[in-house]
Amino acid sequence: MINITGSIDRLRQPEYTGDNRCIPCTVVNVAIAGALTAAVAVVSAPLAPVVLGPSLAAIYLRGYLVPGTPSLTKRYFPDWLLAKFDKAPEPTGTALENERDEEAAGDVESVDPERFFLEHDVVAPCAGTGDGDAAHGDAADDLCLADEIRTAWRDAIDGLRDGDRKRQVAAFLEVDPETVTVTRTNGHAIARVDGRLAAQWESDAALVADLAGSRTLGDRLPNWESLALEQRSQLASGLRAFAERCPACDGPVSLDADTVESCCRSYEVYAITCDDCSARVLEVQQ
C-alpha cells in the first residue's frame, strides 16, 4: 500500500510553506498557474483542470510553481512591498500581539529605552573600557549598565536559563500558562496564546534576557507596574544592547553587521551574537 502521507511530506518544503510561506511568491505563482490554465483551456477545456490542480498542489506543498521564485521575488519586488508580507520575527525584539494589546494599542505610547534608563539610573556614561559592557559602548551610545542592575540582571538570567519556559513566558505576558505554547523555528523563539502569535524573539537567548530584564527592572523601578505590557517589553528588550555575556551559554558576545534572510527579503542589521553557541541576542535593522 502506498503511504500517501509520507509521499506528501517528502514533497513539502517547510522553508517556503506554513509560517515561512512568502505571500508575494504565492500570489505570483498562482497568477502564473491561472495564466497557464487559461492558455490550455483555449486549446482543450477538459485539460484545463489537469493543469490547474497539480499547479496549485505544487504551490501549496512547495511554496512556488516556478523554480527560483523566492530569489527572483527578493531581487525584483520593492522592499517596502516585501516587508508588508514578511513572516520573519522582527529584528528589533519582542512583538506583542495579544487581544488586550490590540484593544489598547491606540492608548499605548512607545517608550525610548535609552531615555528611560538614564532618567531612572539604569545606565550611566561609561567610566572606561576596562571590562564588561564598555565593550558595547558604540552600540549603546557609550552608556553602561549601573553595577547593581548588571549584577541583578546576570543573576536573574542564571536563575531563569534552565526553567520552565512556558510558565516563564506566561508570567511575562500575564496570561494563563495553559494557554501558552513556546516553539523554536529557524532559531527564533515564538510564543502563542490560544494559538495566536503573542510574542517573538531572535532566539531563546534573547527570550531569557528579556524575562530576566523584566524581573530586574520590575524589582527596582517603582512605577514598573503602571507601565503597559508593551512598554515593559520594550524596556526589557532594551537591556539586551548592554549584554556582556551570552544569556544562553554564558560565553562572550560580539557586535557585528550582518545580512538577515527571511522568507521574502534580505536586510542589513547590527547584531549581538554569542561567540560560543551562535545564538542571536539582538538584531537592530540598519
Side-chain angles (χ1 to χ4, degrees):
M1 181 179 294
I2 299 176
N3 186 341
I4 297 178
T5 301
S7 300
I8 291 176
D9 288 340
R10 284 193 293 271
L11 291 173
R12 194 185 303 276
Q13 291 194 127
E15 61 269 34
Y16 298 119
T17 58
D19 287 342
N20 295 323
R21 181 177 294 278
C22 175
I23 301 302
C25 296
T26 300
V27 171
V28 168
N29 279 265
V30 168
I32 292 173
L36 289 174
T37 301
V40 170
V42 172
V43 178
S44 174
L47 287 179
V50 177
V51 174
L52 182 61
S55 297
L56 294 179
I59 295 169
Y60 174 75
L61 293 172
R62 301 182 62 80
Y64 55 83
L65 176 64
V66 179
T69 299
S71 297
L72 294 173
T73 301
K74 290 179 182 180
R75 178 177 298 179
Y76 295 111
F77 274 49
D79 187 70
W80 65 264
L81 176 60
L82 296 177
K84 289 181 179 295
F85 297 98
D86 204 348
K87 294 290 189 66
E90 293 293 330
T92 52
T94 307
L96 299 173
E97 300 180 8
N98 58 38
E99 291 182 1
R100 182 181 61 185
D101 290 314
E102 289 175 355
E103 294 173 354
D107 300 325
V108 177
E109 294 183 4
S110 180
V111 294
D112 181 343
E114 181 178 313
R115 177 180 297 178
F116 186 94
F117 290 162
L118 282 169
E119 290 176 351
H120 294 82
D121 298 322
V122 174
V123 300
C126 297
T129 57
D131 63 354
D133 298 320
H136 298 304
D138 291 340
D141 294 328
D142 294 319
L143 297 174
C144 292
L145 289 178
D147 290 342
E148 179 187 1
I149 297 294
R150 179 191 298 114
T151 300
W153 189 34
R154 286 304 314 170
D155 290 345
I157 288 173
D158 292 341
L160 291 167
R161 184 182 293 123
D162 298 323
D164 184 337
R165 202 68 79 235
K166 177 178 178 177
R167 292 192 175 277
Q168 292 169 348
V169 170
F172 181 77
L173 298 177
E174 300 178 335
V175 296
D176 184 347
E178 297 305 314
T179 66
V180 175
T181 58
V182 181
T183 58
R184 292 168 182 80
T185 303
N186 297 327
H188 302 289
I190 300 174
R192 289 181 170 83
V193 177
D194 288 328
R196 296 184 59 201
L197 179 64
Q200 49 195 9
W201 292 265
E202 291 90 332
S203 65
D204 188 64
L207 167 54
V208 171
D210 280 9
L211 295 173
S214 180
R215 177 176 297 184
T216 300
L217 295 174
D219 288 343
R220 284 158 180 80
L221 300 181
N223 63 337
W224 184 253
E225 293 300 325
S226 67
L227 298 173
L229 177 58
E230 184 177 1
Q231 293 172 322
R232 279 180 270 160
S233 173
Q234 292 171 351
L235 293 171
S237 62
L239 283 182
R240 283 188 262 143
F242 301 91
E244 61 181 63
R245 306 290 297 177
C246 178
C249 58
D250 204 33
V253 297
S254 297
L255 173 64
D256 299 292
D258 195 8
T259 300
V260 174
E261 298 282 345
S262 71
C263 66
C264 294
R265 56 198 281 260
S266 303
Y267 47 87
E268 301 298 317
V269 299
Y270 292 113
I272 296 178
T273 307
C274 301
D275 294 344
D276 293 343
C277 59
S278 300
R280 185 60 54 87
V281 178
L282 179 67
E283 289 179 359
V284 179
Q285 192 164 348
Q286 297 184 26

